[in-house]
Amino acid sequence: MRITELLTQETILLNIEGKQKLDAINQLVDLLNSAGKLTNKEEYKEAILKREEQSTTGIGEGIAIPHAKTKAVKTPAIAFGRSTSGIDYESLDGQPANLFFMIAAPDGANNTHLEALSRLSTILLKEDARAKLLAAKTKLEVVEIIDSYDVEEEEVEQNIADKKNFIVAVTACPTGIAHTYMAADSLKAKAAELGVDIKVETNGSGGAKNVLTSEEIENATAVIVAADTKVQMERFKGKHVLETPVADGIRKPQELIEKALKQEAPVYQGGSGSSSRESSEKGKTGIYKHLMNGVSNMLPFVVGGGILIAICFMFGYNSFKPEDPTYNQFAEALMTIGGTNAFALLVPVLAAFIAMSIADRPGFAPGMVGGMIAASSGAGFLGGLIAGFLAGYVVVGLKKVLSTLPQALEGIKTILLYPVLGIFIVGMLMLYVINDPVSNINEGLTNWLAGLGTANAVLLGIVVGGMMAIDMGGPINKSAYVFGTGLIANGVYEPMAAIMAGGMVPPLAIALATTFFRNKFTKQERDAGTTNYIMGLSFITEGAIPFAAADPLRVIPSVAIGAAITGGLSMFFNIGLRAPHGGVFVIGLVDGNWLLYLLSIVIGSVVSAVLLGVLKKPTQQKNK
């Protein structure tokens, strides 16, 4: 689609009157409305002003691009306005705005429309194009100028194997229409001028484009995230990440690129101490990636809800029941918030984000509904996993089947066809094929775990505790973590306590060993060991990774044995934990005797520290 199919002579105003921002907005809204592009003028204007509240669309260089994506738009359109004297638009550079492009996008704007809008953003970065628009004498001349610059550029595949000055970036703005693409083009243009290789992912209204691969992220010197809205960040864990508003991507591309090359940005630590760096681990794609996307988005509900439930039980195990003598109104409120509501969302959220990882946004609703059906029928966490993958691949299939539809129907796929067909197909399969057998399996597994004898419970604790220490944030660690999280959703809390306790042992053992066996470690290792006290108490297992990497044959077996002992003791003492997080934050909230839980962690950490002291050889470096 050409830009001039959206920008026509009837939506051009060559002389905007007034001096204030609202003057320009009002006249351009009226222009779109009189051209029949809006269904509700006031609602569209409200959406424009709401976008301005988030951040000004006056991007500088005399340009303003007010825009909104709303159901109040009848057909996608662009209005052009010009003020020769300039209007105070609160622009980023503090200068008056002369050229105005108001973008009206309907909720169902298809990719063709969005690509045309993004090309307009690219044109406005060209100084000669702006000069011609300022000098244009007629509406027709404006249309011809835009049309002459409207060239669709294809993304070129990059080979990053031997590149040294290679950076990656992500751009995103709240509506994903204008600023997203302008920031991307500005960064790419400046990088080319500086002789720097760059790849920019755009998170626009039509979904993520030019998506960064794990290999590209791994090989990048640094990451620039120029965004005013949410961006998937966990993939950047361990990289220098420069986070900045999307406007800086437009206005300050050289500054951002130079800072990135010098790595003048903090290393991104990730949203969870137990999460592993996706970008640095080859092969973690497909099922693993989709699963972890679901689990990571589910965790806030588990953590928040679980801790609120644990606090509720501090008033008494039945204090939330009005008929119980220990009833407490505040405890009932905690249980209502944490148990009845937050926990009720665990399985639907898990399924929704697995499906979204597979099929992007169209997978979200079928996944959520499938997860809700699993949760309400007793299929639980296992049913949620199946619902998520089922919904994702059903929508992927629908995309292929519906790809043959006429281009004119492109806009209704996301808002009508994908949700209706996706929810129906997933719902029918969950109700009549999956729920009953999975519910039976789920119930059997829960009953088996709940009825474990002491010996088998201890053995389970030994296994999951040891798994937390073998690769410290890697796939084995993650497998134990996901296992425990799933059991929480099914009402079994003891394995999670063992898993969390086991995850604390490696850094605590390292800290103790560097303190009491000083001659076995270099000065640098002793200094680093001190920080592991904080990491261990905060449940950051990865604090032990540098020590394991330097001496894996001695460190990994030592910490794994201690973690296994801790996990076994936790199960022996029948400790339960309702929140999937470890550290001092939750020790006092466990089900059971918290002193015995603490003792389990101390014993395992001491055993590992002693093993390290015995197995490691004295360092050749003189102790100071």
Side-chain angles (χ1 to χ4, degrees):
M1 169 178 277
R2 306 289 296 178
I3 294 172
T4 47
E5 293 180 51
L6 303 176
L7 173 64
T8 59
Q9 293 188 55
E10 64 179 345
T11 58
I12 293 176
L13 181 63
L14 293 178
N15 295 295
I16 290 181
E17 299 177 353
K19 295 291 184 181
Q20 302 301 315
K21 182 176 187 175
L22 196 57
D23 295 328
I25 289 175
N26 285 335
Q27 290 172 67
L28 292 173
V29 170
D30 287 340
L31 186 64
L32 287 169
N33 189 56
S34 62
K37 306 299 182 181
L38 307 178
T39 58
N40 188 316
K41 183 178 82 169
E42 295 304 320
E43 187 177 337
Y44 175 71
K45 178 182 172 182
E46 183 181 343
I48 287 285
L49 295 176
K50 186 175 180 180
R51 171 62 185 88
E52 293 296 326
E53 289 174 2
Q54 294 172 324
S55 62
T56 181
T57 58
I59 63 172
E61 305 292 347
I63 304 169
I65 314 178
H67 55 273
K69 184 179 179 184
T70 168
K71 63 181 180 181
V73 176
K74 183 178 181 180
T75 55
I78 301 170
F80 170 75
R82 186 178 65 187
S83 169
T84 52
S85 59
I87 286 178
D88 181 9
Y89 204 86
E90 303 170 3
S91 298
L92 295 173
D93 59 1
Q95 300 301 311
N98 303 98
L99 301 176
F100 301 84
F101 286 86
M102 179 172 280
I103 298 173
D107 271 340
N110 60 36
N111 289 339
T112 306
H113 296 139
L114 296 173
E115 287 165 7
L117 297 176
S118 71
R119 293 201 305 279
L120 171 65
S121 304
T122 304
I123 292 169
L124 297 180
L125 291 173
K126 302 180 187 296
E127 186 176 351
D128 56 336
R130 298 196 300 269
K132 290 178 180 178
L133 289 170
L134 279 171
K137 292 182 172 56
T138 65
K139 296 180 180 181
L140 178 59
E141 193 175 347
V142 170
V143 172
E144 290 174 344
I145 291 168
I146 294 294
D147 204 40
S148 68
Y149 284 92
D150 189 6
V151 179
E152 192 167 354
E153 298 180 1
E154 294 185 2
E155 199 66 50
V156 179
E157 195 69 28
Q158 301 187 57
N159 180 8
I160 52 109
D162 300 320
K163 293 181 179 178
K164 294 181 180 178
N165 288 340
F166 176 66
I167 58 178
V168 295
V170 180
T171 61
C173 70
T175 52
I177 295 175
H179 287 52
T180 298
Y181 302 101
M182 294 189 76
D185 290 325
S186 181
L187 286 167
K188 287 188 285 188
K190 184 56 66 174
E193 181 182 319
L194 298 173
V196 176
D197 291 305
I198 189 172
K199 179 174 179 180
V200 186
E201 173 185 308
T202 54
N203 288 357
S205 277
K209 298 292 171 61
N210 206 28
V211 176
L212 303 176
T213 67
S214 58
E215 181 186 7
E216 288 164 342
I217 296 169
E218 178 65 21
N219 283 277
T221 302
V223 181
I224 298 171
V225 177
D228 292 334
T229 188
K230 181 183 176 183
V231 169
Q232 286 185 343
M233 294 294 291
E234 280 302 307
R235 52 188 167 155
F236 303 136
K237 188 178 177 186
K239 304 296 293 186
H240 290 272
V241 178
L242 181 60
E243 295 185 70
T244 188
V246 68
D248 286 351
I250 302 171
R251 301 286 304 148
K252 305 175 182 177
Q254 182 167 342
E255 179 182 327
L256 297 181
I257 291 169
E258 289 175 349
K259 283 184 177 181
L261 291 175
K262 295 175 184 177
Q263 296 188 327
E264 293 180 1
V267 174
Y268 183 69
Q269 299 297 328
S272 168
S274 63
S275 64
S276 62
R277 185 170 65 192
E278 293 179 2
S279 60
S280 66
E281 294 172 5
K282 301 289 191 289
K284 285 197 169 81
T285 55
I287 292 177
Y288 182 90
K289 182 190 76 172
H290 305 319
L291 172 62
M292 293 316 301
N293 189 60
V295 171
S296 63
N297 282 284
M298 178 188 73
L299 287 184
F301 296 88
V302 186
V303 174
I307 290 179
L308 290 177
I309 292 171
I311 295 173
C312 165
F313 287 148
M314 294 175 68
F315 293 91
Y317 277 101
N318 294 309
S319 59
F320 61 93
K321 297 179 180 178
E323 67 275 9
D324 193 87
T326 63
Y327 171 71
N328 181 286
Q329 188 173 6
F330 182 62
E332 182 185 18
L334 291 172
M335 179 59 72
T336 300
I337 296 168
T340 308
N341 292 283
F343 260 43
L345 291 169
L346 302 187
V347 174
V349 168
L350 169 75
F353 280 96
I354 289 175
M356 187 175 178
S357 177
I358 296 169
D360 210 347
R361 294 177 186 175
F364 188 84
M368 179 70 79
V369 173
M372 183 65 75
I373 293 173
S376 61
S377 68
F381 186 80
L382 181 58
L385 289 176
I386 295 173
F389 284 103
L390 174 65
Y393 290 116
V394 162
V395 173
V396 168
L398 286 173
K399 286 183 176 181
K400 292 181 179 178
V401 171
L402 299 177
S403 64
T404 58
L405 290 179
Q407 188 69 25
L409 298 178
E410 186 71 25
I412 69 168
K413 289 182 183 177
T414 301
I415 63 171
L416 178 64
L417 299 181
Y418 294 148
V420 171
L421 296 176
I423 290 173
F424 172 74
I425 294 170
V426 171
M428 294 296 285
L429 289 173
M430 291 297 297
L431 284 173
Y432 296 107
V433 178
I434 294 167
N435 268 356
D436 286 345
V438 174
S439 295
N440 293 334
I441 294 171
N442 191 55
E443 184 179 358
L445 175 63
T446 303
N447 292 337
W448 175 74
L449 288 167
L452 278 179
T454 301
N456 287 332
V458 170
L459 179 60
L460 177 62
I462 289 172
V463 172
V464 296
M467 289 173 69
M468 291 297 289
I470 290 175
D471 57 358
M472 291 169 274
I476 298 175
N477 172 289
K478 277 292 188 294
S479 298
Y481 189 62
V482 171
F483 175 70
T485 304
L487 294 180
I488 284 181
N490 290 344
V492 180
Y493 309 113
E494 290 77 13
M496 181 54 79
I499 290 165
M500 295 297 98
M504 294 174 68
V505 168
L508 289 175
I510 292 293
L512 290 170
T514 55
T515 300
F516 294 103
F517 301 97
R518 296 174 62 82
N519 66 321
K520 302 296 182 77
F521 299 90
T522 65
K523 184 178 185 303
Q524 291 81 1
E525 288 175 329
R526 293 197 304 274
D527 291 342
T530 303
T531 64
N532 273 271
Y533 282 112
I534 304 299
M535 291 188 176
L537 293 173
S538 303
F539 185 63
I540 302 177
T541 311
E542 289 90 337
I545 288 178
F547 294 85
D551 190 5
L553 295 180
R554 294 181 179 86
V555 174
I556 292 177
S558 297
V559 296
I561 290 170
I565 291 172
T566 290
L569 288 172
S570 176
M571 292 293 285
F572 178 77
F573 293 135
N574 198 32
I575 307 295
L577 181 61
R578 296 169 182 267
H581 205 289
V584 293
F585 321 106
V586 299
I587 288 177
L589 301 177
V590 296
D591 297 347
N593 191 317
W594 69 270
L595 287 173
L596 291 177
Y597 189 55
L598 180 60
L599 179 64
S600 302
I601 297 168
V602 171
I603 290 174
S605 300
V606 170
V607 168
S608 288
V610 170
L611 286 172
L612 285 168
V614 171
L615 295 176
K616 284 185 72 68
K617 296 178 180 179
T619 179
Q620 299 299 313
Q621 186 183 90
K622 186 177 179 179
N623 291 317
K624 298 180 180 179

